[in-house]
């Protein structure tokens, strides 16, 4: 389970986001972060019961401030991305632990230009399969609505009056759901995460099939 002390540390860090404060408490952070790493490793083990995960990418707490107006040196959250293995398994699972803003997610958070075009071309041709998946009662009750940045109008060379332009305008395709601090520190939080990720795999598998075939359905692998 997630240690409540991690959330407390992150709350204090948000209020004292400077190097002297952090350095004085670096030993405490390392202990809490190792526990967080153990949690992410345990999630990976469970995910591999139903999928094949290449690695858990735990993001650094240090911010890259070189080109940012915000010069605070630390991220007041911990996050991890579980990457699916191989060219025949696309998409990823995500989690962010941040006081009062805890989330998990699935999907395609920053598709490559070629992948984005392939997705849009598929939706232009036939979007019904995606709609069926994301509107199914079990999926929707778990994950809610599709999220991601959208264009204000149609992408270049796409008809702005296309009946599926609402999907074609997306630049990323993912789902997120929120948890309270009490929920993430409860003993059954991991079970809830795994259950949600398993439900979300139908979307990942659909998108994988799409991205590993051409518009004729022929394999690209």
């Amino acid at each position: 389970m997630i240690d409540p002390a991690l959330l407390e540390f992150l709350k204090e860090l948000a209020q004292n986001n400077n190097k002297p404060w952090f350095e004085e408490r670096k030993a405490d952070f390392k202990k809490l972060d190792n526990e967080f790493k153990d949690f992410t490793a345990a999630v990976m083990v469970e995910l591999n019961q139903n999928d094949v995960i290449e690695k858990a990418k735990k993001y650094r707490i240090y911010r890259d401030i070189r080109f940012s107006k915000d010069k605070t040196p630390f991220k007041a959250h911990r996050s991890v991305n579980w990457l699916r293995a191989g060219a025949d398994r696309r998409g990823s699972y995500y989690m962010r632990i941040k006081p009062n803003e805890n989330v998990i997610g699935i999907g395609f958070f920053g598709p490559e230009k070629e992948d984005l075009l392939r997705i849009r071309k598929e939706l232009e041709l036939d979007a019904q399969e995606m709609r069926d998946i994301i509107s199914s009662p079990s999926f929707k009750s778990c994950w809610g609505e599709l999220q991601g940045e959208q264009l204000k109008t149609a992408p270049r060379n796409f008809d702005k009056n296309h009946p599926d332009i609402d999907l074609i305008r997306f630049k990323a395709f993912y789902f997120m759901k929120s948890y309270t601090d009490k929920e993430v520190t409860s003993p059954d939080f991991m079970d809830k995460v795994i259950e949600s990720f398993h439900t979300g795999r139908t979307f990942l598998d659909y998108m994988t099939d799409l991205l590993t075939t051409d518009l004729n359905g022929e394999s690209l692998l």
Side-chain angles (χ1 to χ4, degrees):
M1 59 184 288
I2 299 294
D3 192 334
L6 175 60
L7 287 168
E8 186 60 33
F9 180 91
L10 294 172
K11 286 179 185 177
E12 294 181 11
L13 176 59
Q15 298 168 359
N16 303 275
N17 201 325
N18 60 79
K19 290 184 178 180
W21 185 92
F22 185 83
E23 287 299 321
E24 288 181 9
R25 297 159 181 81
K26 194 168 185 179
D28 295 335
F29 168 73
K30 286 187 174 182
K31 176 179 179 297
L32 293 169
D33 207 44
N34 283 333
E35 292 175 357
F36 178 66
K37 183 178 180 180
D38 291 342
F39 181 89
T40 65
V43 170
M44 182 169 169
V45 170
E46 293 300 318
L47 278 175
N48 273 314
Q49 301 300 313
N50 188 58
D51 206 337
V52 182
I53 306 301
E54 179 180 356
K55 65 178 179 178
K57 180 181 179 181
K58 187 165 67 73
Y59 293 96
R60 289 162 47 88
I61 198 167
Y62 303 96
R63 295 184 63 249
D64 183 354
I65 62 174
R66 291 174 298 172
F67 308 107
S68 175
K69 292 182 180 179
D70 179 1
K71 297 302 181 182
T72 52
F74 305 104
K75 303 170 189 173
H77 66 267
R78 304 302 296 124
S79 57
V80 58
N81 210 21
W82 291 275
L83 306 175
R84 304 175 84 206
D88 58 339
R89 295 180 185 85
R90 306 293 295 275
S92 62
Y93 306 95
Y94 174 78
M95 180 175 70
R96 182 189 71 206
I97 299 300
K98 182 178 182 180
N100 302 313
E101 298 180 38
N102 308 288
V103 296
I104 64 171
I106 58 162
F108 298 77
F109 300 92
E112 298 290 339
K113 181 179 179 181
E114 295 78 10
D115 285 349
L116 181 57
L117 179 60
R118 173 67 183 91
I119 293 168
R120 286 172 170 167
K121 285 292 187 181
E122 182 72 23
L123 295 174
E124 181 183 44
L125 184 66
D126 182 8
Q128 192 57 50
E129 187 172 359
M130 178 188 282
R131 291 193 185 279
D132 288 345
I133 291 171
I134 66 178
S135 65
S136 70
S138 60
F139 189 97
K140 195 161 187 176
S141 65
C142 178
W143 286 105
E145 300 294 334
L146 179 64
Q147 299 185 41
E149 185 181 356
Q150 302 176 55
L151 296 173
K152 292 182 179 180
T153 185
R156 182 180 298 180
N157 299 323
F158 286 85
D159 180 3
K160 66 179 181 180
N161 295 314
H162 191 284
D164 297 303
I165 196 63
D166 60 317
L167 293 177
I168 294 170
R169 288 191 299 110
F170 276 89
K171 297 172 66 176
F173 299 81
Y174 59 81
F175 295 84
M176 305 285 276
K177 61 186 301 185
S178 301
Y179 291 93
T180 65
D181 293 353
K182 183 177 180 180
E183 287 174 321
V184 300
T185 56
S186 66
D188 65 346
F189 177 57
M190 184 183 297
D191 293 336
K192 291 179 178 178
V193 170
I194 296 301
E195 182 179 359
S196 295
F197 283 164
H198 285 177
T199 299
R201 187 177 168 182
T202 55
F203 177 72
L204 299 183
D205 286 348
Y206 161 75
M207 294 288 267
T208 292
D209 288 343
L210 187 160
L211 291 170
T212 56
T213 59
D214 62 21
L215 284 172
N216 293 316
E218 297 293 331
S219 176
L220 299 173
L221 301 179

